[in-house]
Amino acid sequence: MLKSIEGNFDNIKVHNLLVKHFIELRSVSPEGSAHVLDIAGLKSFSIKFWSLWEGEELMGVGALKFINKTHGEFKSIRVNDKLRNKGYGLQIINHLINEAKKLNIEQLSLETGSGIFFQNARNLFTKCGFKTCEPFSHYKKDLNSVYMNMLISN
């Protein structure tokens, strides 16, 4: 059974996974096209962050940023590297969708990279019902970004 913990930034496993995530995404994103938040950014009052666990094993992390009362954005979704390609990404996304429903979010959006590195993420988001869209919120058209959204019903 998966356990979800909100916050938990002080846990060394969570901290290390996030730092690896930040470094990796910045290394594969051109200057000005990396939209990953650091830990301080994830601690914003407008963001809810969860770590997901299976026993003592950190499965992954994900965050939901409130754009407004009914529109949320996924941020910092990351699966533990040794657990990739085992369905955990889908579980993280489903967890975030369920949390968004509890918070009365009606629309979810996300930004991800357009390069080959991000292809698996784009495929997973499409499988979950996301469709490509125009830039939202503060984002601008960028050849290095793909914007996606979905409507959810409570």
Side-chain angles (χ1 to χ4, degrees):
M1 181 80 182
L2 294 180
K3 177 175 72 172
S4 164
I5 301 174
E6 191 172 335
N8 204 22
F9 294 104
D10 294 332
N11 181 293
I12 192 68
K13 291 179 180 178
V14 172
H15 178 85
N16 289 344
L17 183 61
L18 285 171
V19 169
K20 181 177 175 58
H21 180 65
F22 306 146
I23 291 169
E24 187 173 62
L25 289 187
R26 288 187 179 125
S27 76
V28 296
S29 300
E31 184 78 26
S33 292
H35 301 287
V36 63
L37 296 174
D38 59 15
I39 290 175
L42 288 170
K43 289 181 176 180
S44 167
F45 69 92
S46 66
I47 295 178
K48 286 192 170 285
F49 173 87
W50 294 271
S51 57
L52 286 90
W53 300 79
E54 203 165 52
E56 297 298 312
E57 186 77 51
L58 175 61
M59 185 183 81
V61 297
L64 177 65
K65 177 180 179 180
F66 295 90
I67 295 172
N68 61 44
K69 276 177 61 171
T70 61
H71 188 184
E73 177 186 3
F74 282 172
K75 300 295 289 181
S76 296
I77 296 174
R78 178 68 181 230
V79 174
N80 183 333
D81 286 348
K82 63 184 177 182
L83 299 175
R84 286 189 172 192
N85 300 313
K86 296 183 178 177
Y88 290 105
L90 182 60
Q91 290 183 56
I92 293 170
I93 292 170
N94 285 335
H95 171 76
L96 293 174
I97 290 170
N98 288 332
E99 291 295 332
K101 287 178 180 180
K102 291 179 197 173
L103 296 164
N104 297 314
I105 297 293
E106 298 171 0
Q107 179 178 336
L108 289 169
S109 298
L110 62 91
E111 178 277 336
T112 190
S114 62
I116 292 170
F117 177 86
F118 299 95
Q119 184 64 54
N120 287 341
R122 292 192 307 271
N123 291 345
L124 182 58
F125 292 127
T126 299
K127 180 178 178 180
C128 291
F130 283 85
K131 297 186 181 345
T132 57
C133 65
E134 292 297 311
F136 59 93
S137 185
H138 65 284
Y139 294 104
K140 309 235 180 306
K141 282 195 182 266
D142 181 348
L143 294 176
N144 300 302
S145 290
V146 172
Y147 307 99
M148 304 179 89
N149 70 5
M150 72 181 294
L151 299 177
I152 60 174
S153 57
N154 295 319

